[in-house]
Amino acid sequence: MNGSLYNSISLLRTLFAVGALLFLTANISAAQPVKAKMRTDRIIVQPKAGVSQDEINALQGHRRTLKHIKGFNRMRVVQLDSADELEQTLARYRASGLVEFAEPDHLLKIAASPNDPHFNSGAQWSLRNSGRDISATTAWDITKTAPEVIVAVIDSGIRYTHEDLRDNMWRNPGETPGNGIDDDGNGLRDDVYGINAVRDTGDPMDDNNHGTHVAGIVGAVGNNGKGIAGVAWNVKLMACKFLGADGYGWTSDGVECVNYAVENGADVINASFGGGEFSQAMFTAIQAARNAGIIFVAAAGNEQTNIDQTPTYPANYGLNNVVVVGASTRDDQWDTEYSNYGATKVELFAPGTSILSTWGSGDTAYQSISGTSMAAPHVAGAFALMKARFTNLSTVQIIDRLLTNVDPIANMAGRCRTGGRLNLNKALGPNPWANFGVNKLLGEAPLVVSLTNLSLGPITGHTWDFGDGSPTSTEMNPKHIFTRTGDYNVRLSVTSTSGQVNTMTKVVRVVSNYAWSSATYSWIAPGTTKVALTDNGSSGPHNLPFAFNFYGVPQSSVYISANGFLSFGTDGIASKDNVSLPSGTAPNGIIAPYWDDLNPAGTTSANGVFVTTTGTAPNRKFVVTWRNVPRVANQALQSFQAILEEGTDAIVFQYQTTDGGRSATVGLENPAGDVAALYSHNGSPVVLAASRAIRAGSRPFRYLIVQQSNLAFDLTQGAASPSLTLDLENPGNASLNWTIAPANSWLTVNTGSGSLAGGEKKQVQVQLSAAGLALSPGDYQTSLNVENTTDDNGSGSIPVTVRIQGGGVAILEFTPSNSAQFSGLTGGPFSPAPISLTVRNGGNAPLQWSATPNQSWIQLDPASGQLSPGQSASLQLGVSAAANTLAAGAYNGSVEFRNLSTIGSATIQQAISLNVSPRVSNPTIHLQNGQFRASIPAPQSGSYAVEYSTDLTNWETLTTASDENGVVSFVDPVGAGRRFYRLRSN
């Protein structure tokens, strides 16, 4: 394999066996009778990461770098001076320690086998052949296009002008065709369709035919009335040319093509070539493709060889993104005439013998040839369709899906890993395939939907996401209630035994609607503004005097139809042929008091269609009146009104005169045409009557939503109960009454009943009762029964779990003080200063404590707190300001200390006493040692100035003093004359 295309013996056999490709083989033989297995004048070098440019340049010396291959850490192709230095240069590079690898540039070749002339009929048997095919026709019922998937055909190029390929050619979005400029800066000018790595240009035109043939199998345009259909009818074909006109190409050019595919977003690479030895450069390139999520489809080769034993590349690189394909015949057998095989290295077989496809000799040319080159693109096309279909699956998952869905074939067993041939239908279908049915995709809230799981394949799990924020479900066929209007993406995810996941999504639409009721008939004068209408004509838009919500959408204007209806758009507004509602066809978004073939055109000035507004904001009415407008069928005069109410958004129809509406539609339809409130159609079920009115208002609904699906109490025995919140909501437009009742005595709620208006929310607090807190350690189950007592919508039971942990207890330790005795005079102050007390947690669980004085004159700081096991806290106990108002006397009180964390713990009392003494009420005076001594009662504690006067008018300060025990004492030397004394507070 490493010297020529075939050795001389196999070449002779090939020429006799398949003469249709004789010219191709003859060209190879004439131009290069013995093709060299490698280039002797150049090598491929990959520098190690971190090696400097100077180091690698020094190693390279004077040798020229022919090209750098982008994307692979400065990989380069180095020109040698002569063939004689090849081995010596490789040895020097490898011994330097500066390179990851240095290797020869090996020769690669196309993997096609020459044409079999007996199958030149043009029939594409590989796609339809009585079951001995890839089941394309049934697969195409699932999907046949991959318009955004790029398949890079790394080959001899593609005739991109071919009638069956040009519309499916990939086009470089960064390149402007024909301007001769490298617009995207990738080193190639005008690389519109791909790359020509042979000549380093942007023109990948095929000069060998092989690449064009491969491309047609992958993705010739389907259903265009020309030529053939590819496996994928619509796909992007990227032309990456590295094989020359003789069918040979160099590894370095192939690596450049792989890199081009990676850089330009390819999803699949078709590699219908082979024959080279192992190349680290090519291996690195395919690794990069794997890292980019690209599937690499490789032809097994055409040497009738077991490649498990005799490797051929790229088939034998063994990366998990490489899928190796052998060739099968029209008889659904492994083609032993040429196809390689291998129980571990070949993944599967696909049709490869006598395959008709596009040909590169002209824009309308087709040819039938054989080879594993033809088998590989069948698989590449299948992967393209799978990539388009299974956007949520990884590359590995898509490969596994295809390989686990082959058709087992007896003579392929043991000759490939799967033992079978490609089946496109199975690959695109179940295994797993998520699918489900919905009994209602549209309805009013609350909408009860039944979901039926129709998924296929070996499924181990189902998950339903209802798209409305509610919890997911793993039931097989769940029911779900949608309680709010809106569009909801209901998604089913299924998981297979191999871990593959597939999903399906459907939209459930929940809408609001109107309800009809009788109204009081009160004809409104139509006003003087007449609307000019021709037969089947319309008028508008007429601005509404207030914002009006119609099916939840604000409307500011309306159109008026001569034929008895209002519309919020013009489509179908001239329609005279009324239909039942909803219809889906125009007109949609209508208010129809009497939709029939009417003609107001010939009415007198007092008759016809009128608009007026009555009332004052916020209670105005917009009124459209058809007055004495004849029906075309019998000229019977009809007088009716459509009234739009401000604020309520209600609609009233009034009928003054009518012939019953036996050919009219009366009702409302939303703008989408899929929801309606039909009152009557052609007299059924209601015949209209004169002097009657009907009203369309929002259909009342109510629903009790409990946001929590369950509650759980987790606590240590003896601890206080946490408080859990139950959120109640009524998303409807009408009020409801509710009750909450615990199933047993373990639970208590702060409120057990109430009402919720439309749109209102309320929170209810749930705690464990004393009975619940007294439970022994363990897990307990109970429930709360929540009921909508108005109409039962939303009633249900909320499971409650109580988990009591044992072993922990909080112990409040506190030694009462015997010195908590305080005294003082009336009005204060009192002594001693506040005394210190200490509380401690002597247990092994957190402690929450509180202290409650039984008298207002007792002061404690702090009065509550939390203590960890072993932790202490200091408290200050004293007399509060309230004691200043106490009368003289003896007072007793106490402070109660409680352990809040342990139910049933004994309380601890701290006694406290207060003695309030009366203040002195009369002054005392006496003479001692020739001095005048006096004590004057002080009105309150504090500092005073003692003043004296001889005339009670002029006062002077004698001294300053503070009160002691309620009096201020002072001394005045005995002086001449009379003196008066008083106290002044400082």
Side-chain angles (χ1 to χ4, degrees):
M1 274 291 292
N2 299 324
S4 61
L5 180 58
Y6 304 99
N7 59 42
S8 57
I9 298 176
S10 62
L11 175 60
L12 181 62
R13 175 188 171 282
T14 302
L15 293 178
F16 281 107
V18 251
L21 281 185
L22 180 59
F23 85 94
L24 175 59
T25 309
N27 286 343
I28 295 172
S29 301
Q32 196 170 337
V34 179
K35 197 76 171 182
K37 67 173 70 173
M38 69 182 72
R39 291 291 290 262
T40 57
D41 60 343
R42 66 190 192 194
I43 60 174
I44 305 173
V45 177
Q46 172 75 72
K48 285 184 176 179
V51 173
S52 69
Q53 190 68 38
D54 290 340
E55 289 176 297
I56 201 68
N57 287 343
L59 180 63
Q60 187 170 323
H62 65 279
R63 296 173 181 83
R64 184 165 63 96
T65 298
L66 291 175
K67 68 170 73 175
H68 285 92
I69 302 176
K70 295 190 302 179
F72 301 104
N73 189 27
R74 297 175 293 150
M75 187 186 294
R76 61 184 62 188
V77 180
V78 177
Q79 178 73 56
L80 304 182
D81 291 338
S82 67
D84 295 338
E85 67 172 335
L86 174 64
E87 294 300 329
Q88 158 185 354
T89 304
L90 288 173
R92 184 168 65 255
Y93 269 100
R94 292 165 180 168
S96 70
L98 300 178
V99 300
E100 293 288 351
F101 60 83
E103 63 182 24
D105 197 355
H106 291 109
L107 184 67
L108 302 173
K109 63 179 180 62
I110 62 177
S113 181
N115 178 47
D116 185 339
H118 299 292
F119 296 96
N120 201 14
S121 64
Q124 288 185 273
W125 68 265
S126 62
L127 305 180
R128 184 173 59 183
N129 184 35
S130 301
R132 294 171 295 180
D133 48 54
I134 67 169
S135 299
T137 54
T138 50
W140 288 338
D141 287 337
I142 301 171
T143 186
K144 49 186 169 287
T145 64
E148 300 304 319
V149 176
I150 302 172
V151 178
V153 178
I154 298 181
D155 213 287
S156 63
I158 298 176
R159 188 176 184 93
Y160 45 78
T161 58
H162 196 286
E163 65 175 1
D164 234 0
L165 300 176
R166 60 192 176 213
D167 290 341
N168 277 354
M169 290 303 300
W170 170 79
R171 285 167 176 79
N172 186 346
E175 200 70 24
T176 301
N179 66 357
I181 299 173
D182 178 16
D183 300 286
D184 59 3
N186 67 354
L188 299 169
R189 289 180 294 178
D190 290 339
D191 57 318
V192 177
Y193 302 111
I195 182 176
N196 184 334
V198 177
R199 300 183 180 275
D200 291 326
T201 72
D203 183 6
M205 179 59 78
D206 188 3
D207 53 6
N208 174 272
N209 301 319
H210 184 266
T212 300
H213 196 273
V214 167
I217 298 170
V218 174
V221 178
N223 201 36
N224 64 347
K226 300 175 183 177
I228 63 168
V231 174
W233 290 12
N234 184 4
V235 71
K236 291 182 171 154
L237 299 168
M238 177 188 291
C240 297
K241 177 176 175 61
F242 89 103
L243 297 173
D246 60 359
Y248 288 85
W250 298 105
T251 296
S252 58
D253 295 333
V255 170
E256 190 171 7
C257 283
V258 174
N259 181 60
Y260 185 92
V262 171
E263 288 192 335
N264 287 279
D267 300 288
V268 181
I269 289 174
N270 189 89
S272 289
F273 60 84
E277 295 185 357
F278 178 89
S279 164
Q280 186 62 49
M282 183 62 78
F283 183 87
T284 301
I286 300 173
Q287 272 187 318
R290 179 191 63 182
N291 296 340
I294 300 173
I295 300 174
F296 190 96
V297 183
N302 305 317
E303 293 78 34
Q304 302 170 283
T305 299
N306 183 344
I307 64 173
D308 287 358
Q309 301 171 1
T310 306
T312 182
Y313 296 94
N316 280 71
Y317 280 120
L319 294 167
N320 66 352
N321 67 321
V322 176
V323 178
V324 182
V325 187
S328 64
T329 68
R330 189 167 189 158
D331 295 329
D332 223 7
Q333 300 292 303
W334 157 51
D335 199 329
T336 59
E337 290 295 310
Y338 61 90
S339 177
N340 288 350
Y341 60 97
T344 61
K345 296 302 182 183
V346 176
E347 268 74 24
L348 77 164
F349 287 85
T353 302
S354 298
I355 303 299
L356 180 69
S357 186
T358 48
W359 198 243
S361 60
D363 288 345
T364 60
Y366 300 86
Q367 181 66 278
S368 179
I369 61 174
S370 302
T372 55
S373 281
M374 287 60 256
H378 282 89
V379 175
F383 279 131
L385 294 179
M386 294 178 73
K387 281 269 190 178
R389 180 165 172 76
F390 302 123
T391 56
N392 61 325
L393 297 185
S394 69
T395 293
V396 171
Q397 288 173 320
I398 287 177
I399 292 173
D400 287 344
R401 183 181 179 88
L402 181 139
L403 296 182
T404 56
N405 283 285
V406 300
D407 280 343
I409 305 296
N411 86 331
M412 297 176 189
R415 292 180 174 87
C416 68
R417 188 154 62 90
T418 62
R421 184 249 311 126
L422 170 67
N423 186 311
L424 180 61
N425 183 54
K426 288 182 180 178
L428 293 177
N431 198 33
W433 174 240
N435 190 16
F436 64 92
V438 186
N439 68 324
K440 296 177 184 177
L441 290 172
L442 176 69
E444 298 176 53
L447 179 65
V448 181
V449 170
S450 296
L451 301 162
T452 304
N453 190 344
L454 302 175
S455 303
L456 301 175
I459 297 169
T460 59
H462 312 76
T463 302
W464 297 88
D465 185 338
F466 304 109
D468 59 355
S470 62
T472 58
S473 171
T474 56
E475 292 183 44
M476 180 69 75
N477 300 302
K479 283 187 176 181
H480 187 70
I481 302 175
F482 293 94
T483 58
R484 294 179 174 86
T485 59
D487 292 350
Y488 300 100
N489 292 318
V490 179
R491 184 174 69 248
L492 170 63
S493 300
V494 295
T495 304
S496 73
T497 52
S498 61
Q500 292 175 287
V501 177
N502 191 254
T503 65
M504 170 172 277
T505 301
K506 293 185 178 182
V507 178
V508 173
R509 191 159 176 237
V510 184
V511 298
S512 60
N513 206 351
Y514 292 85
W516 294 101
S517 61
S518 297
T520 300
Y521 175 79
S522 179
W523 186 258
I524 298 173
T528 59
T529 304
K530 184 174 181 178
V531 179
L533 289 169
T534 60
D535 187 19
N536 300 325
S538 63
S539 175
H542 293 268
N543 292 328
L544 297 173
F546 46 81
F548 185 78
N549 288 304
F550 184 65
Y551 279 100
V553 178
Q555 304 288 349
S556 59
S557 62
V558 68
Y559 293 87
I560 301 173
S561 169
N563 292 318
F565 64 87
L566 309 180
S567 176
F568 295 104
T570 57
D571 286 351
I573 199 168
S575 176
K576 64 180 180 179
D577 299 320
N578 65 295
V579 296
S580 185
L581 302 177
S583 67
T585 58
N588 303 123
I590 64 172
I591 298 173
Y594 196 100
W595 179 14
D596 199 355
D597 187 7
L598 307 179
N599 184 9
T603 56
T604 65
S605 60
N607 299 316
V609 181
F610 298 82
V611 294
T612 189
T613 300
T614 66
T616 58
N619 299 303
R620 290 169 290 181
K621 296 179 180 180
F622 178 77
V623 184
V624 181
T625 304
W626 283 258
R627 182 176 182 183
N628 291 325
V629 176
R631 283 187 61 228
V632 171
N634 60 6
Q635 296 302 301
L637 299 181
Q638 313 294 318
S639 294
F640 55 90
Q641 292 178 327
I643 305 167
L644 279 56
E645 294 184 351
E646 182 180 17
T648 65
D649 294 323
I651 300 164
V652 175
F653 295 162
Q654 295 202 115
Y655 301 91
Q656 188 180 60
T657 59
T658 177
D659 63 351
R662 290 178 177 82
S663 63
T665 296
V666 179
L668 313 172
E669 183 186 69
N670 72 341
D674 55 6
V675 178
L678 180 66
Y679 183 77
S680 178
H681 176 239
N682 296 339
S684 177
V686 180
V687 176
L688 301 177
S691 300
R692 296 288 178 85
I694 57 175
R695 177 186 179 88
S698 296
R699 186 183 300 278
F701 84 94
R702 55 187 64 83
Y703 199 89
L704 180 59
I705 294 177
V706 181
Q707 297 292 352
Q708 292 76 12
S709 58
N710 58 74
L711 294 176
F713 288 91
D714 289 281
L715 69 161
T716 302
Q717 187 181 28
S721 170
S723 182
L724 303 182
T725 300
L726 208 60
D727 295 292
L728 309 181
E729 181 183 0
N730 175 13
N733 56 21
S735 64
L736 60 83
N737 296 320
W738 58 268
T739 60
I740 297 179
N744 56 32
S745 61
W746 299 343
L747 305 176
T748 181
V749 294
N750 67 332
T751 179
S753 63
S755 63
L756 286 173
E760 186 180 2
K761 298 179 180 179
K762 184 176 181 62
Q763 289 187 331
V764 175
Q765 302 302 314
V766 185
Q767 290 185 304
L768 290 177
S769 65
L773 291 169
L775 293 170
S776 301
D779 288 359
Y780 301 88
Q781 301 295 327
T782 184
S783 62
L784 286 169
N785 297 316
V786 184
E787 185 177 359
N788 170 359
T789 59
T790 303
D791 59 12
D792 207 39
N793 280 337
S795 297
S797 180
I798 309 299
V800 180
T801 301
V802 180
R803 299 184 184 94
I804 306 284
Q805 305 256 345
V809 63
I811 301 174
L812 176 64
E813 295 179 346
F814 169 67
T815 302
S817 173
N818 295 323
S819 61
Q821 300 175 358
F822 298 87
S823 64
L825 299 175
T826 55
F830 300 96
S831 61
I835 63 173
S836 293
L837 302 177
T838 301
V839 291
R840 180 178 180 274
N841 180 3
N844 57 5
L847 166 67
Q848 184 174 356
W849 63 271
S850 69
T852 307
N854 70 346
Q855 301 292 337
S856 62
W857 52 264
I858 301 174
Q859 178 174 294
L860 185 69
D861 185 30
S864 63
Q866 292 184 337
L867 294 173
S868 301
Q871 185 181 12
S872 300
S874 294
L875 321 177
Q876 298 300 310
L877 176 65
V879 177
S880 72
N884 295 337
T885 64
L886 296 176
Y891 297 90
N892 294 300
S894 65
V895 178
E896 182 180 84
F897 289 84
R898 294 187 61 200
N899 179 346
L900 302 179
S901 298
T902 303
I903 302 301
S905 294
T907 59
I908 302 174
Q909 301 286 336
Q910 167 65 61
I912 181 171
S913 65
L914 173 63
N915 184 43
V916 182
S917 299
R919 291 183 178 274
V920 176
S921 59
N922 297 312
T924 62
I925 56 175
H926 64 277
L927 291 172
Q928 183 179 353
N929 298 327
Q931 294 179 320
F932 178 77
R933 296 178 179 272
S935 296
I936 302 175
Q940 61 186 19
S941 62
S943 177
Y944 292 87
V946 180
E947 297 179 334
Y948 70 91
S949 174
T950 58
D951 56 9
L952 294 177
T953 299
N954 299 302
W955 294 89
E956 293 185 27
T957 300
L958 173 67
T959 185
T960 60
S962 297
D963 80 300
E964 294 181 5
N965 296 322
V967 297
V968 176
S969 299
F970 65 92
V971 176
D972 185 10
V974 177
R978 178 185 296 176
R979 285 186 176 183
F980 302 95
Y981 300 91
R982 73 180 183 185
L983 298 179
R984 177 174 53 79
S985 176
N986 283 335

PDB file of all heavy atoms in Angstrom, residues 403-416:
ATOM      1  N   LEU A 403     -24.629   3.705  14.664  1.00  0.00           N
ATOM      2  CA  LEU A 403     -24.024   2.367  14.677  1.00  0.00           C
ATOM      3  C   LEU A 403     -24.897   1.340  15.385  1.00  0.00           C
ATOM      4  O   LEU A 403     -24.798   0.146  15.096  1.00  0.00           O
ATOM      5  CB  LEU A 403     -22.644   2.431  15.342  1.00  0.00           C
ATOM      6  CG  LEU A 403     -21.595   3.285  14.618  1.00  0.00           C
ATOM      7  CD1 LEU A 403     -20.270   3.227  15.356  1.00  0.00           C
ATOM      8  CD2 LEU A 403     -21.420   2.845  13.166  1.00  0.00           C
ATOM      9  N   THR A 404     -25.748   1.788  16.311  1.00  0.00           N
ATOM     10  CA  THR A 404     -26.627   0.835  16.991  1.00  0.00           C
ATOM     11  C   THR A 404     -27.911   0.581  16.220  1.00  0.00           C
ATOM     12  O   THR A 404     -28.782  -0.156  16.697  1.00  0.00           O
ATOM     13  CB  THR A 404     -26.968   1.333  18.408  1.00  0.00           C
ATOM     14  OG1 THR A 404     -27.539   2.641  18.332  1.00  0.00           O
ATOM     15  CG2 THR A 404     -25.744   1.362  19.292  1.00  0.00           C
ATOM     16  N   ASN A 405     -28.030   1.187  15.041  1.00  0.00           N
ATOM     17  CA  ASN A 405     -29.252   1.036  14.262  1.00  0.00           C
ATOM     18  C   ASN A 405     -28.996   0.518  12.847  1.00  0.00           C
ATOM     19  O   ASN A 405     -29.748   0.805  11.927  1.00  0.00           O
ATOM     20  CB  ASN A 405     -29.997   2.374  14.197  1.00  0.00           C
ATOM     21  CG  ASN A 405     -30.729   2.673  15.482  1.00  0.00           C
ATOM     22  OD1 ASN A 405     -31.763   2.094  15.769  1.00  0.00           O
ATOM     23  ND2 ASN A 405     -30.164   3.566  16.280  1.00  0.00           N
ATOM     24  N   VAL A 406     -27.936  -0.261  12.684  1.00  0.00           N
ATOM     25  CA  VAL A 406     -27.676  -0.867  11.377  1.00  0.00           C
ATOM     26  C   VAL A 406     -28.593  -2.057  11.166  1.00  0.00           C
ATOM     27  O   VAL A 406     -29.194  -2.584  12.107  1.00  0.00           O
ATOM     28  CB  VAL A 406     -26.197  -1.309  11.264  1.00  0.00           C
ATOM     29  CG1 VAL A 406     -25.259  -0.128  11.422  1.00  0.00           C
ATOM     30  CG2 VAL A 406     -25.888  -2.409  12.276  1.00  0.00           C
ATOM     31  N   ASP A 407     -28.702  -2.484   9.917  1.00  0.00           N
ATOM     32  CA  ASP A 407     -29.371  -3.744   9.609  1.00  0.00           C
ATOM     33  C   ASP A 407     -28.342  -4.866   9.685  1.00  0.00           C
ATOM     34  O   ASP A 407     -27.349  -4.852   8.945  1.00  0.00           O
ATOM     35  CB  ASP A 407     -29.965  -3.715   8.196  1.00  0.00           C
ATOM     36  CG  ASP A 407     -31.286  -2.978   8.138  1.00  0.00           C
ATOM     37  OD1 ASP A 407     -31.904  -2.778   9.199  1.00  0.00           O
ATOM     38  OD2 ASP A 407     -31.690  -2.581   7.027  1.00  0.00           O
ATOM     39  N   PRO A 408     -28.512  -5.818  10.596  1.00  0.00           N
ATOM     40  CA  PRO A 408     -27.533  -6.914  10.667  1.00  0.00           C
ATOM     41  C   PRO A 408     -27.585  -7.784   9.403  1.00  0.00           C
ATOM     42  O   PRO A 408     -28.664  -8.151   8.932  1.00  0.00           O
ATOM     43  CB  PRO A 408     -27.972  -7.698  11.906  1.00  0.00           C
ATOM     44  CG  PRO A 408     -29.382  -7.284  12.169  1.00  0.00           C
ATOM     45  CD  PRO A 408     -29.571  -5.922  11.595  1.00  0.00           C
ATOM     46  N   ILE A 409     -26.411  -8.074   8.863  1.00  0.00           N
ATOM     47  CA  ILE A 409     -26.284  -8.897   7.655  1.00  0.00           C
ATOM     48  C   ILE A 409     -25.351 -10.063   7.985  1.00  0.00           C
ATOM     49  O   ILE A 409     -24.265  -9.852   8.538  1.00  0.00           O
ATOM     50  CB  ILE A 409     -25.715  -8.086   6.473  1.00  0.00           C
ATOM     51  CG1 ILE A 409     -26.561  -6.826   6.217  1.00  0.00           C
ATOM     52  CG2 ILE A 409     -25.631  -8.952   5.209  1.00  0.00           C
ATOM     53  CD1 ILE A 409     -27.978  -7.076   5.793  1.00  0.00           C
ATOM     54  N   ALA A 410     -25.767 -11.259   7.625  1.00  0.00           N
ATOM     55  CA  ALA A 410     -25.045 -12.464   8.052  1.00  0.00           C
ATOM     56  C   ALA A 410     -23.581 -12.444   7.641  1.00  0.00           C
ATOM     57  O   ALA A 410     -22.691 -12.708   8.460  1.00  0.00           O
ATOM     58  CB  ALA A 410     -25.730 -13.707   7.495  1.00  0.00           C
ATOM     59  N   ASN A 411     -23.284 -12.128   6.353  1.00  0.00           N
ATOM     60  CA  ASN A 411     -21.884 -12.260   5.939  1.00  0.00           C
ATOM     61  C   ASN A 411     -21.043 -11.033   6.327  1.00  0.00           C
ATOM     62  O   ASN A 411     -19.869 -10.945   6.001  1.00  0.00           O
ATOM     63  CB  ASN A 411     -21.768 -12.551   4.443  1.00  0.00           C
ATOM     64  CG  ASN A 411     -21.768 -11.314   3.583  1.00  0.00           C
ATOM     65  OD1 ASN A 411     -22.354 -10.289   3.925  1.00  0.00           O
ATOM     66  ND2 ASN A 411     -21.111 -11.417   2.429  1.00  0.00           N
ATOM     67  N   MET A 412     -21.658 -10.093   7.043  1.00  0.00           N
ATOM     68  CA  MET A 412     -20.890  -8.962   7.587  1.00  0.00           C
ATOM     69  C   MET A 412     -20.524  -9.203   9.040  1.00  0.00           C
ATOM     70  O   MET A 412     -19.703  -8.472   9.601  1.00  0.00           O
ATOM     71  CB  MET A 412     -21.684  -7.662   7.452  1.00  0.00           C
ATOM     72  CG  MET A 412     -21.971  -7.283   6.012  1.00  0.00           C
ATOM     73  SD  MET A 412     -23.005  -5.812   5.885  1.00  0.00           S
ATOM     74  CE  MET A 412     -23.363  -5.810   4.106  1.00  0.00           C
ATOM     75  N   ALA A 413     -21.133 -10.210   9.664  1.00  0.00           N
ATOM     76  CA  ALA A 413     -20.817 -10.526  11.053  1.00  0.00           C
ATOM     77  C   ALA A 413     -19.361 -10.938  11.157  1.00  0.00           C
ATOM     78  O   ALA A 413     -18.875 -11.774  10.376  1.00  0.00           O
ATOM     79  CB  ALA A 413     -21.717 -11.651  11.554  1.00  0.00           C
ATOM     80  N   GLY A 414     -18.649 -10.353  12.084  1.00  0.00           N
ATOM     81  CA  GLY A 414     -17.237 -10.650  12.264  1.00  0.00           C
ATOM     82  C   GLY A 414     -16.330  -9.910  11.306  1.00  0.00           C
ATOM     83  O   GLY A 414     -15.108 -10.017  11.408  1.00  0.00           O
ATOM     84  N   ARG A 415     -16.929  -9.150  10.375  1.00  0.00           N
ATOM     85  CA  ARG A 415     -16.103  -8.400   9.411  1.00  0.00           C
ATOM     86  C   ARG A 415     -16.205  -6.890   9.632  1.00  0.00           C
ATOM     87  O   ARG A 415     -15.533  -6.117   8.967  1.00  0.00           O
ATOM     88  CB  ARG A 415     -16.508  -8.767   7.990  1.00  0.00           C
ATOM     89  CG  ARG A 415     -16.150 -10.215   7.647  1.00  0.00           C
ATOM     90  CD  ARG A 415     -16.537 -10.591   6.243  1.00  0.00           C
ATOM     91  NE  ARG A 415     -16.061 -11.926   5.901  1.00  0.00           N
ATOM     92  CZ  ARG A 415     -16.721 -13.049   6.155  1.00  0.00           C
ATOM     93  NH1 ARG A 415     -17.902 -12.991   6.759  1.00  0.00           N
ATOM     94  NH2 ARG A 415     -16.194 -14.214   5.833  1.00  0.00           N
ATOM     95  N   CYS A 416     -17.075  -6.497  10.562  1.00  0.00           N
ATOM     96  CA  CYS A 416     -17.134  -5.105  11.004  1.00  0.00           C
ATOM     97  C   CYS A 416     -17.677  -5.097  12.417  1.00  0.00           C
ATOM     98  O   CYS A 416     -18.262  -6.082  12.872  1.00  0.00           O
ATOM     99  CB  CYS A 416     -17.978  -4.232  10.074  1.00  0.00           C
ATOM    100  SG  CYS A 416     -19.748  -4.600  10.086  1.00  0.00           S
TER     101      CYS A 416
END
